[in-house]
Amino acid sequence: MSPEELGRSEKSIRWKLYDLKLIPFPGDLVPGPRTPVEPEAPKAYSVEAKRQLHPNAYKPWDPEDEKRLAERCAQGASLSELSQEFGRNEGAIASRLLKIQAKGPAADDAWEYGG
């Protein structure tokens, strides 16, 4: 009977036979050693460096800040204005506006950031 008739590959049958201790270890099926992974390049920035420009970068949003963000957006504030007011970059503001489903011009502009 062939492996195809059993609905299995030759490799799977050989490994099963080894598991059942019916054949020796199938060393030819074991992949060679892996090549070492290149170390990651250091980031081009740090959180501390980002906070020099945007003091609240990477900090969690408070519910009160989200509410104020939605209100300011509804009042017509731009992404740039909101960025300055909340101490976060425009991408972070855009992302949060979309998450909280805010209404207003800045929320409309937020879609340009990949929303």
Side-chain angles (χ1 to χ4, degrees):
M1 188 174 277
S2 72
E4 292 79 26
E5 291 174 316
L6 296 173
R8 301 283 186 247
S9 69
E10 179 184 345
K11 288 181 181 182
S12 70
I13 291 173
R14 288 178 61 199
W15 279 112
K16 186 50 134 177
L17 290 171
Y18 169 72
D19 286 343
L20 296 171
K21 301 188 183 339
L22 297 174
I23 64 169
F25 182 77
D28 60 317
L29 299 180
V30 177
R34 293 183 178 179
T35 56
V37 175
E38 294 287 325
E40 283 189 33
K43 289 187 177 181
Y45 64 87
S46 66
V47 172
E48 292 77 26
K50 287 285 191 179
R51 286 189 177 156
Q52 295 294 318
L53 294 172
H54 307 287
N56 293 322
Y58 299 100
K59 290 182 181 177
W61 282 85
D62 292 327
E64 302 84 38
D65 285 339
E66 286 183 340
K67 182 179 178 188
R68 192 165 53 95
L69 178 65
E71 289 171 357
R72 293 287 293 125
C73 181
Q75 292 169 358
S78 69
L79 282 175
S80 178
E81 291 169 336
L82 294 171
S83 174
Q84 291 295 317
E85 186 175 331
F86 288 89
R88 298 174 187 266
N89 71 28
E90 289 184 17
I93 297 295
S95 176
R96 190 53 54 159
L97 288 171
L98 295 175
K99 183 172 183 166
I100 64 174
Q101 300 178 348
K103 304 291 183 220
D108 297 338
D109 293 342
W111 287 101
E112 293 178 22
Y113 282 88

